[in-house]
Amino acid sequence: MNRNLLSIDDLSRDDIERILHRARSFAEVSGREIKKVPTLRGRTVINLFYEASTRTSSSFELAAKRLSADLVNIKSAGSSVDKGESLKDTVQTLSAYDPAAIVIRSPHAGAANLVARWTTASVINAGDGKHEHPTQALLDLYTLFRRRGSLDGMKVWIVGDVLHSRVARSNILAFTRMGCEVTLCGPPTLMPREIEALDCEVRYTLDGLEQADVVYALRMQHERMTGSYVPSLREYAAQYQIDSRRLSPHQLLMHPGPVNRGVELSSEVIDSPQALIVEQVESGVVVRMAVLYELLAGGPGRAAAGAPSHAGAETEPQPA
Ligand code: NCD
């Protein structure tokens, strides 16, 4: 596997399967009273978040702590860092601490790729503008894998603001790589041009939604909209909101969070037993542990290169 995780395209199907199995083995650690293994003891992880985050930042933090890494959290939403140069300065400054990994979230597409050029640390993309959010896609795969075992042939509908969604882009790549059939649905104004090239079908109405095994709703990304893409949220909800009339009992419902209640999802479906939204959050910790493990301690070269993980090999979980 690559040194960095910038895009789902960095991962083969085998890589993804290994991460999912590794995450499952870490679930055992999350069930213990003392949720810690010594795998990354003495190594430093830096979380660099230039954009709002609740789930992603807290789960990366817990993941690093549960692996016993030293962690530095830097949050600077609203800072003046929006030019390549000043991000470069920040990364070069932080690299002086010799971190093993830098986790970066930025409002700019391509930011994680730039950071990877400026540091020798492993770089993990925790969301770059509307480009990609690979660990979200992995935790979504893991959530379904835990429920259903195999993902092959599963029909997934991704509904909503596909245009501004990094989650959609990473999930299309990840679901198709794992053998799922992906359909995108939303208003034409919120559908990127030529997105079918990613091997998915595009629909502009919810007709046929009953064929889906999984309905994956996206948040309306107001913060990335420069103009008006839908006549009104009311109108959008009338056409595209997933509610109990539209969701059949056999279907699973997913959403990356945060949810705009009453816009893309009705309250009753959010709180229904079909919704995996809370499980997705739970999956975030073990999947991010698995990603940190793979990048920093997983490969044979890396373990041999001196990661002191074997100091605690007796407590280190093995893949299931
Ligand atoms: C997503 C994000 O930030 O891209 N949220 C998340 O990471 N859980 C999706 C969103 O904000 O809509």
Side-chain angles (χ1 to χ4, degrees):
M1 207 172 113
N2 230 307
R3 179 167 65 90
N4 305 311
L5 178 56
L6 305 176
S7 159
I8 286 292
D9 261 337
D10 292 336
L11 303 174
S12 66
R13 187 174 170 146
D14 278 355
D15 291 332
I16 294 176
E17 282 174 355
R18 209 176 46 253
I19 291 169
L20 302 186
H21 287 284
R22 177 74 61 190
R24 194 165 64 181
S25 72
F26 281 131
E28 187 267 314
V29 176
S30 294
R32 295 184 199 164
E33 192 177 337
I34 296 172
K35 305 180 196 317
K36 234 177 166 72
V37 286
T39 315
L40 297 184
R41 195 160 54 195
R43 305 188 78 192
T44 303
V45 174
I46 296 180
N47 276 346
L48 186 54
F49 277 64
Y50 288 108
E51 208 185 55
S53 174
T54 303
R55 294 154 193 79
T56 308
S57 65
S58 59
S59 60
F60 264 114
E61 180 169 348
L62 279 175
K65 287 180 171 167
R66 289 182 184 180
L67 292 170
S68 305
D70 293 325
L71 178 75
V72 179
N73 278 320
I74 297 171
K75 300 200 187 216
S76 46
S79 91
S80 62
V81 180
D82 61 2
K83 298 250 168 71
E85 268 304 292
S86 44
L87 178 61
K88 185 173 183 177
D89 280 346
T90 308
V91 169
Q92 286 179 340
T93 302
L94 294 170
S95 295
Y97 303 133
D98 191 23
I102 297 180
V103 178
I104 166 102
R105 167 167 287 195
S106 161
H108 303 292
N113 295 62
L114 285 175
V115 172
R117 284 204 230 150
W118 298 326
T119 181
T120 53
S122 285
V123 175
I124 302 174
N125 183 3
D128 61 330
K130 53 185 185 178
H131 178 227
E132 275 223 45
H133 191 358
T135 59
Q136 177 70 43
L138 291 170
L139 76 86
D140 291 330
L141 291 180
Y142 176 75
T143 305
L144 284 175
F145 163 72
R146 241 180 41 162
R147 276 280 173 139
R148 291 281 160 93
S150 165
L151 301 171
D152 250 319
M154 201 176 260
K155 294 189 175 65
V156 182
W157 276 51
I158 299 178
V159 180
D161 180 2
V162 179
L163 181 66
H164 299 100
S165 177
R166 53 195 175 206
V167 172
R169 180 167 289 277
S170 288
N171 279 29
I172 294 166
L173 295 172
F175 283 133
T176 52
R177 188 142 302 175
M178 299 308 287
C180 302
E181 284 175 36
V182 177
T183 301
L184 306 177
C185 178
T189 47
L190 291 176
M191 200 58 73
R193 266 194 265 163
E194 295 174 19
I195 190 81
E196 298 91 335
L198 294 182
D199 212 12
C200 48
E201 200 186 318
V202 173
R203 307 259 188 131
Y204 300 112
T205 72
L206 288 175
D207 296 345
L209 184 74
E210 64 283 356
Q211 299 157 14
D213 300 306
V214 178
V215 178
Y216 195 109
L218 299 169
R219 183 175 67 86
M220 287 290 265
Q221 308 263 313
H222 303 288
E223 74 278 23
R224 292 186 223 290
M225 293 186 188
T226 44
S228 178
Y229 289 81
V230 290
S232 70
L233 287 181
R234 233 181 120 108
E235 196 123 330
Y236 173 82
Q239 284 206 54
Y240 297 100
Q241 183 185 91
I242 306 301
D243 60 15
S244 56
R245 257 177 330 121
R246 289 171 173 157
L247 192 71
S248 327
H250 73 274
Q251 295 176 315
L252 294 171
L253 176 68
M254 302 180 82
H255 189 295
V259 177
N260 293 309
R261 257 179 204 261
V263 180
E264 62 265 5
L265 296 179
S266 71
S267 271
E268 81 269 12
V269 297
I270 298 172
D271 302 323
S272 75
Q274 287 160 268
L276 302 181
I277 301 169
V278 177
E279 272 179 54
Q280 288 172 268
V281 176
E282 195 188 329
S283 300
V285 178
V286 289
V287 166
R288 288 169 175 132
M289 285 172 85
V291 167
L292 286 168
Y293 181 95
E294 280 293 319
L295 295 178
L296 306 185
R302 293 184 194 97
S309 56
H310 295 294
E314 67 285 358
T315 49
E316 200 170 285
Q318 296 305 311

